[in-house]
Amino acid sequence: MTMINEKKYGLMSDVKVARKITNLTSYSVLLFFSALIIFPILWIVSTSLKNEEDLFSLPPQIIPENPTLHAFKQVWIDHPFLAYFRNSLIVVSIATFISVTFSAFAAYGLSRFKFRGHGTFMAFLLASQLFPSIMLLIPFYKIYMTFGLINTHAALIITYVSFTIPFCTWMMRGYFDGISKDLDLAAQIDGAGRFRIFRSVILPLSWPGLAATTIYSFISGWNEYIFALVLTQDEEMKTVPVGIGQLVGEYRIDWAQLMAASLYALIPLTVIFIFFNRYFISGLSAGAVKE
Amino acid sequence: MRATKRKFIAVASATLVAVSGTISLNSASAAITPSFCPRFTGTLTVLSTVILEKPDGLVEQEIADKFMKACPKTKIKFIGVPANDLVTKLTAMAIGGNVPDMYASDAVNTVKMAALNIPLELRAALGQDYIDGFAKENVGEMTIGGKIYSAPWFSIPTAILYRTDLFAKAGVKPPKTFEEFITVCKALTKDTDGDGKIDQYGWAMVGTDNGSGQGRFNTIARNMGAVDVGKDSSGKWVTQIDSPGWKAALKLYKDAVDVGCVPPGQFQTGYPEASVQIGKGQAAMMITGPHTIGVALTANPAAKGKLAGAPIPSVAGVPATTSLNQSGYAIARKSKHRAAAIAYLKFVLNKENQLRINDVTYRIPSRLDAQADPQVNSEMSQGFVKAGEGRVFSNPQISWYNSIAILSSPAYQAAIKGDKTIDQIAKEQAEKARKIIADNG
Amino acid sequence: MKSAFKKRESRSGYFFTLPTLLIVFSLIIYPLGYAIFISMQRTNLISEWKFVGARYYAELLTDAEFLNSLKISLTFAFFVVVGNFVVGLLLAVILNQNLKFATTFKIILMLPWLLPEVVVALIWKWLFNPTYGLINYILNTIGLIDSDVSWFDSSTSALAGVIFVATWKGYPIVMIMMLAGMKNIPAERYEAAAIDGATRLQQFRHITIPGLRPIFLVTCILETAWWFKHFTVIWLMTSGGPAGATKVVSISIYQQAFGDFNFGKAAAESVIILAILLAASYFYSRAIRNDND
């Protein structure tokens, strides 16, 4: 494919110039938006390095006058963030795995087969996302009480799966719809069963979609607050967003620790994103096989 | 099967250890264990908001640790919940039938949880003698139809917190009337460094559309002689939102902003911002409770000794009124460890522990023995104690009160914006209030 | 013969969808049924139960304040979704070209999604604060303004402010979904078009947009639903103020349920939202599908 590109652009020099101009525009757009993102994040970093007295100084200190890493250390001492991170990792990893696996199955079923209740199921999946989630809190609590699941990882895993599975299913269905059905047919003629077609023909072509749904499920679970707060009780069972939320007090916000904790919480997400990022880079493009 | 077996062995061995422990320690522990300790071996769960605050939470943990040291058989386990989410979490627990032995409960929560039949009645549980040891106003807020559903822990009576140094510099005294309030507010607004920009304002108004703003406005309205909802002489719920007093309160807010003695951005000045303004001397007055002293001092330790309280003015014929904004604890009616919970509650409320929380957080203790202590009557918090001794106005004990309380913040924001006249605003909000009363009352 | 095939078809369909169906069914059907049931009661869910029939629905549909909060939610959701799609799609198209440093940019541009909502709301609230905020300070320093601007004091600016912050927080999800969607478009189509002399813009219009359609549809529907029901950022930034200008419908639900313990009315509001969003989804899928054929 790169060969084709080189040949193409090598032949047409005016295209080359045009490309340079578009590249320049592209970089300007990227820089503009990156600046808009970096600006508040710099303030987060700056705040995390300040001591209490400098927080609200006038004029605001963009670069702290008395920078200190105190909050980055103290946040682990004052609060069991190690346990919070452990819980979040367990809950969110398992929930993401279940969500992505099950939704890939369901999406394949919805994309490739016609069956009774097909449309109803799609609408039903959607309905669960259209209902205000705050009103799900009490019914969920009652269900988990009945099954003795309050204050367990299982309750959060089930909750997060039920929150993310509808979007993942719809998204993957859209993705599978984009993959030509001729591939299934060809494999079928070769004698492959439905499950094998799904696993060895369709899934390998769907990595970008799977990566996107994985990232979505992971981030959604990682940042969920109110259900995690209500469904857990012990300090040892709380998750990272609950720990972060607890730094916002009734009368006082522990700004430096709040920011430090948020920055720590970015690390696992960034690692996961970098890992899955390769599926968004060309080279894996399924196009060649598809036509 | 195997799990059950293991569990059985665990239980059996735990019992053995416990039994042998009791036997071997029997004579010794009887001598050491203080009389206040419950005869309860196990864990008491306490749903707390204070435990997550700093430095308040450290004091609460310290008190619990002291208790556990004295009574080693009883463990205190806190379930920490941010104050902003207490109602959400507690409601879910209540409806799910999973209320902890003790839970944090202010006056509003007391009414709500009592409506759900969650709390234990405390007059019977603690005894009348013990109840008499609370400041009357404090326990009154936790009483519904003669029954007490929460024990008051401490209060933060609303008053004027002011910077004594800035007042002295401007040559003014805490205002005694609302007219004076505006004049003093203006006198305190100035450009201190002469760069042509005002850098010190009179009043750090909390103008946000939330509970902090609403509570402060309602206290002022009450001192103007108007109640958002109350019972009339025939016992019917009525509103005074369109009365002259309520309108005067709206006008006070509008005037203060119009004369420019309020720092800009009052709609975004919530409690935290206003406290910092006081601490840093960017504003000289704030309507708030004594807990703000601690918050202001964290923002600027140099303000130590420069903060004091004074009662809020009131109009002629209306006694000076404050609201207590209490925190307390309730015991769950269904708790299996009632006696232990009562023992722990009394421990938290003993004089020593009451003074300890006052020392660290400047909050006013609810027990009379602690209130009488010189520590509580320091120059700094005197004004607040005095405010709390005046007429205390408690929110009406109706489960739907919140829907009335939230009518005030859109009203003062609209008055300040000036798109509508105060009469119009008051009329609209009063109509809404009457509809809510008709729906519920 | 044909019906046997059909049978097998639908058996396979059930086989693949069953796990998801079970999870969603067991966790959603009860809360939904429960909500519809209590929406016809005056109840605090413990001690008070009084059947009121359709009273709350009738009341709500004629209540000016509730209708206004629906309007605010709709305005908010509309601008946030449009903003998310404009920014997300633009960035996805650029990032899809695999320029140098694309990965670095991608990570930076993802960050808002990764941060907890509470932190995003608090940090922007602070940046916009008239006295302590960096925005006024910078504008003051470079001389664009000479006195502190109170950003959120007018109804329009407060709504615009929360829309801005929500868009800042929300566009990366669209960006990632669109990036994934673009990988679903066969590269040959672009190559063929390029050989035919189609410009980039034409390629975008005739290949990218139609190719993205299925994923566009789902993202669009769910984005609309999420932002229509949104609570946290608005609650933390304005709590519905000034003077109710940003009081979206989820704030009203929250206050009814947990403020007043009027769970029946809160449930009725939720059911109305569900109905509105279902209708919107139907409309979307009709519009986007029709366009396709």
Side-chain angles (χ1 to χ4, degrees):
Chain A
M1 219 168 63
T2 38
M3 219 180 68
I4 300 172
N5 282 344
E6 271 166 26
K7 211 168 98 193
K8 193 170 65 197
Y9 295 121
L11 284 175
M12 297 180 273
S13 66
D14 51 336
V15 171
K16 221 173 177 178
V17 176
R19 190 178 172 96
K20 256 190 183 152
I21 294 171
T22 15
N23 274 356
L24 205 68
T25 329
S26 299
Y27 278 117
S28 329
V29 173
L30 288 178
L31 282 173
F32 171 76
F33 281 101
S34 300
L36 214 57
I37 301 311
I38 295 277
F39 167 62
I41 287 174
L42 273 184
W43 189 244
I44 292 178
V45 175
S46 157
T47 304
S48 70
L49 297 171
K50 279 179 194 163
N51 61 31
E52 198 117 24
E53 288 167 53
D54 290 346
L55 282 176
F56 292 97
S57 60
L58 286 180
Q61 300 175 6
I62 299 171
I63 296 162
E65 270 167 32
N66 311 297
T68 164
L69 285 169
H70 184 249
F72 285 90
K73 198 181 96 199
Q74 202 61 26
V75 75
W76 299 99
I77 299 168
D78 290 357
H79 312 274
F81 262 94
L82 216 56
Y84 300 163
F85 270 94
R86 192 199 62 212
N87 294 327
S88 276
L89 281 173
I90 294 174
V91 166
V92 178
S93 306
I94 298 177
T96 302
F97 178 77
I98 297 176
S99 206
V100 173
T101 316
F102 283 21
S103 66
F105 270 108
Y108 185 69
L110 289 165
S111 167
R112 291 304 195 257
F113 307 102
K114 283 271 166 277
F115 54 90
R116 252 172 71 122
H118 182 279
T120 319
F121 178 53
M122 291 291 283
F124 181 64
L125 271 179
L126 198 59
S128 68
Q129 290 285 297
L130 307 185
F131 195 72
S133 55
I134 188 81
M135 291 303 285
L136 297 175
L137 198 56
I138 284 171
F140 274 34
Y141 197 94
K142 289 175 81 169
I143 296 176
Y144 296 136
M145 251 332 258
T146 314
F147 293 100
L149 291 177
I150 294 296
N151 204 26
T152 63
H153 289 145
L156 290 181
I157 292 171
I158 298 168
T159 307
Y160 295 168
V161 168
S162 80
F163 282 178
T164 52
I165 220 169
F167 178 78
C168 292
T169 308
W170 270 73
M171 162 78 192
M172 286 314 294
R173 188 209 129 123
Y175 210 85
F176 292 151
D177 278 354
I179 297 173
S180 168
K181 289 194 173 97
D182 298 347
L183 290 176
D184 299 52
L185 226 59
Q188 221 168 3
I189 291 164
D190 291 348
R194 277 305 190 180
F195 189 74
R196 240 197 80 198
I197 298 174
F198 170 66
R199 207 195 53 198
S200 30
V201 180
I202 304 300
L203 273 192
L205 295 179
S206 312
W207 278 112
L210 289 171
T213 46
T214 306
I215 291 170
Y216 158 76
S217 300
F218 204 93
I219 297 176
S220 308
W222 189 264
N223 283 336
E224 199 288 322
Y225 173 70
I226 194 75
F227 281 77
L229 173 82
V230 171
L231 298 176
T232 59
Q233 294 187 8
D234 299 352
E235 280 301 309
E236 305 80 54
M237 289 304 293
K238 287 176 177 171
T239 59
V240 173
V242 177
I244 289 176
Q246 290 182 355
L247 297 169
V248 182
E250 185 175 15
Y251 298 114
R252 186 173 158 271
I253 297 174
D254 200 330
W255 283 106
Q257 288 198 16
L258 179 67
M259 297 311 159
S262 310
L263 291 172
Y264 279 128
L266 284 182
I267 296 172
L269 295 179
T270 314
V271 170
I272 285 180
F273 180 69
I274 292 173
F275 179 77
F276 281 99
N277 175 50
R278 57 200 176 114
Y279 299 112
F280 298 121
I281 300 173
S282 272
L284 275 155
S285 178
V289 204
K290 255 187 265 173
E291 254 178 323
Chain B
M1 183 62 204
R2 189 190 271 172
T4 338
K5 202 168 167 190
R6 204 183 293 157
K7 215 181 213 169
F8 173 75
I9 292 172
V11 170
S13 53
T15 321
L16 264 178
V17 170
V19 168
S20 60
T22 339
I23 293 167
S24 61
L25 286 173
N26 204 7
S27 53
S29 67
I32 306 166
T33 310
S35 60
F36 62 76
C37 282
R39 268 183 310 206
F40 165 62
T41 309
T43 306
L44 207 57
T45 40
V46 180
L47 184 71
S48 169
T49 57
V50 171
I51 196 78
L52 297 179
E53 307 281 333
K54 256 195 259 176
D56 327 32
L58 300 174
V59 182
E60 184 168 30
Q61 187 64 55
E62 178 193 307
I63 293 173
D65 288 343
K66 258 194 293 180
F67 182 79
M68 287 189 276
K69 205 173 161 207
C71 319
K73 287 187 214 157
T74 312
K75 290 265 164 301
I76 307 291
K77 198 185 89 186
F78 288 106
I79 303 175
V81 55
N84 301 326
D85 301 310
L86 171 68
V87 175
T88 313
K89 175 143 186 162
L90 187 56
T91 308
M93 291 177 116
I95 295 168
N98 188 31
V99 185
D101 299 307
M102 277 169 73
Y103 59 87
S105 185
D106 58 12
V108 176
N109 233 347
T110 302
V111 180
K112 286 180 150 184
M113 289 301 134
L116 300 183
N117 199 15
I118 299 300
L120 178 72
E121 203 283 312
L122 292 178
R123 194 187 302 276
L126 298 173
Q128 185 62 43
D129 282 355
Y130 190 82
I131 296 293
D132 290 340
F134 284 110
K136 222 178 175 170
E137 301 78 22
N138 297 49
V139 85
E141 279 196 339
M142 310 296 208
T143 310
I144 303 166
K147 293 185 168 158
I148 300 166
Y149 289 114
S150 306
W153 185 9
F154 49 70
S155 64
I156 42 175
T158 309
I160 297 174
L161 174 70
Y162 67 98
R163 286 285 297 254
T164 48
D165 54 337
L166 305 182
F167 268 60
K169 234 184 264 170
V172 288
K173 287 210 162 65
K176 292 267 186 313
T177 66
F178 285 110
E179 293 74 38
E180 258 180 59
F181 187 87
I182 296 285
T183 0
V184 167
C185 186
K186 261 193 339 209
L188 289 160
T189 303
K190 46 185 149 179
D191 170 16
T192 53
D193 58 7
D195 67 349
K197 266 200 225 163
I198 291 173
D199 48 24
Q200 177 192 309
Y201 291 89
W203 178 21
M205 174 197 285
V206 176
T208 42
D209 187 353
N210 60 13
S212 314
Q214 289 148 9
R216 288 172 170 79
F217 178 85
N218 281 330
T219 310
I220 289 177
R222 278 157 196 168
N223 281 294
M224 295 279 198
V227 178
D228 49 359
V229 61
K231 276 190 170 158
D232 68 3
S233 49
S234 66
K236 269 203 329 224
W237 291 107
V238 289
T239 181
Q240 294 178 336
I241 283 181
D242 49 0
S243 72
W246 221 74
K247 288 183 199 167
L250 288 179
K251 190 166 177 301
L252 180 82
Y253 271 58
K254 184 177 168 49
D255 287 350
V257 174
D258 286 351
V259 303
C261 70
V262 172
Q266 62 284 339
F267 297 159
Q268 293 135 72
T269 307
Y271 172 82
E273 290 84 7
S275 316
V276 171
Q277 288 169 356
I278 282 286
K280 300 222 167 211
Q282 291 147 358
M285 294 190 283
M286 179 178 173
I287 305 283
T288 192
H291 59 304
T292 310
I293 296 172
V295 185
L297 290 182
T298 2
N300 178 22
K304 194 154 180 104
K306 297 173 185 163
L307 290 159
I312 299 173
S314 65
V315 295
V318 175
T321 302
T322 187
S323 47
L324 289 176
N325 304 309
Q326 293 196 79
S327 299
Y329 271 115
I331 297 174
R333 191 171 50 87
K334 287 193 175 150
S335 165
K336 291 188 184 93
H337 320 303
R338 259 185 217 183
I342 290 168
Y344 176 61
L345 182 64
K346 286 187 171 170
F347 183 78
V348 172
L349 292 171
N350 74 25
K351 189 178 173 190
E352 182 196 347
N353 290 330
Q354 284 261 287
L355 289 177
R356 179 83 183 109
I357 197 106
N358 167 266
D359 185 36
V360 177
T361 71
Y362 308 96
R363 285 155 212 248
I364 312 295
S366 61
R367 302 285 299 170
L368 292 170
D369 53 356
Q371 274 190 9
D373 195 88
Q375 176 191 311
V376 181
N377 295 289
S378 70
E379 201 200 324
M380 219 186 229
S381 48
Q382 217 174 30
F384 293 101
V385 181
K386 215 156 78 192
E389 282 165 357
R391 197 172 71 132
V392 167
F393 198 102
S394 306
N395 289 331
Q397 295 174 322
I398 37 184
S399 62
W400 41 276
Y401 175 65
N402 185 57
S403 53
I404 302 274
I406 61 173
L407 293 175
S408 68
S409 45
Y412 57 69
Q413 291 190 338
I416 292 167
K417 281 171 72 180
D419 302 343
K420 294 180 197 165
T421 66
I422 286 175
D423 284 339
Q424 253 176 322
I425 297 162
K427 196 175 147 233
E428 281 174 22
Q429 298 306 84
E431 271 165 20
K432 284 182 201 158
R434 295 207 170 95
K435 192 173 169 295
I436 294 164
I437 293 170
D439 284 352
N440 294 280
Chain C
M1 179 68 198
K2 202 173 179 190
S3 87
F5 171 74
K6 250 190 177 164
K7 223 182 227 167
R8 213 177 43 214
E9 274 275 284
S10 69
R11 223 184 313 128
S12 303
Y14 291 131
F15 166 76
F16 280 104
T17 43
L18 198 64
T20 298
L21 184 67
L22 281 180
I23 286 193
V24 179
F25 196 77
S26 55
L27 272 149
I28 296 300
I29 208 76
Y30 169 67
L32 280 187
Y34 186 74
I36 293 170
F37 169 69
I38 64 170
S39 71
M40 291 180 283
Q41 315 268 340
R42 182 188 168 87
T43 179
N44 62 18
L45 299 183
I46 294 193
S47 52
E48 186 188 23
W49 291 94
K50 203 174 101 197
F51 183 76
V52 296
R55 196 186 108 188
Y56 288 137
Y57 290 99
E59 262 179 32
L60 285 168
L61 293 173
T62 53
D63 179 0
E65 205 171 346
F66 176 70
L67 296 176
N68 191 40
S69 72
L70 282 179
K71 205 181 98 194
I72 295 170
S73 288
L74 199 67
T75 317
F76 174 76
F78 175 80
F79 283 107
V80 175
V81 173
V82 169
N84 282 350
F85 271 90
V86 170
V87 179
L89 197 56
L90 173 69
L91 292 173
V93 169
I94 294 174
L95 290 171
N96 199 39
Q97 299 169 14
N98 295 323
L99 301 165
K100 256 187 213 161
F101 309 113
T103 304
T104 316
F105 278 118
K106 227 178 283 173
I107 292 170
I108 293 172
L109 292 167
M110 275 286 285
L111 287 174
W113 189 11
L114 309 185
L115 285 165
E117 279 177 346
V118 44
V119 175
V120 170
L122 290 174
I123 210 76
W124 276 107
K125 195 177 162 191
W126 189 356
L127 289 169
F128 275 119
N129 185 287
T131 316
Y132 303 108
L134 210 53
I135 292 174
N136 270 350
Y137 171 68
I138 291 173
L139 293 180
N140 257 318
T141 315
I142 60 177
L144 275 179
I145 54 173
D146 55 2
S147 67
D148 288 340
V149 179
S150 305
W151 292 98
F152 290 172
D153 277 6
S154 88
S155 311
T156 330
S157 65
L159 191 58
V162 289
I163 288 171
F164 169 78
V165 175
T167 310
W168 188 88
K169 168 87 182 132
Y171 78 85
I173 189 167
V174 177
M175 181 181 92
I176 289 301
M177 294 304 149
M178 294 302 135
L179 262 175
M182 285 175 196
K183 295 285 168 245
N184 204 9
I185 302 170
E188 285 82 354
R189 285 193 202 159
Y190 289 106
E191 280 150 23
I195 288 165
D196 291 348
T199 63
R200 286 260 182 124
L201 205 68
Q202 284 168 325
Q203 291 180 22
F204 179 74
R205 170 77 187 82
H206 296 290
I207 302 172
T208 313
I209 292 282
L212 281 177
R213 200 161 268 148
I215 288 166
F216 194 91
L217 171 67
V218 46
T219 316
C220 198
I221 291 179
L222 286 159
E223 275 271 302
T224 308
W226 292 332
W227 290 109
F228 190 86
K229 302 181 306 174
H230 187 75
F231 179 78
T232 317
V233 167
I234 303 179
W235 181 250
L236 290 173
M237 289 190 71
T238 65
S239 311
T246 55
K247 190 172 171 187
V248 288
V249 74
S250 31
I251 292 183
S252 150
I253 293 179
Y254 178 78
Q255 285 174 340
Q256 283 291 345
F258 293 94
D260 278 358
F261 281 1
N262 193 346
F263 287 96
K265 199 164 188 180
E269 291 187 17
S270 309
V271 173
I272 292 175
I273 290 181
L274 177 65
I276 292 173
L277 289 174
L278 269 178
S281 317
Y282 180 74
F283 167 77
Y284 272 144
S285 42
R286 286 296 293 269
I288 296 180
R289 287 251 168 79
N290 279 348
D291 203 30
N292 196 6
D293 302 319

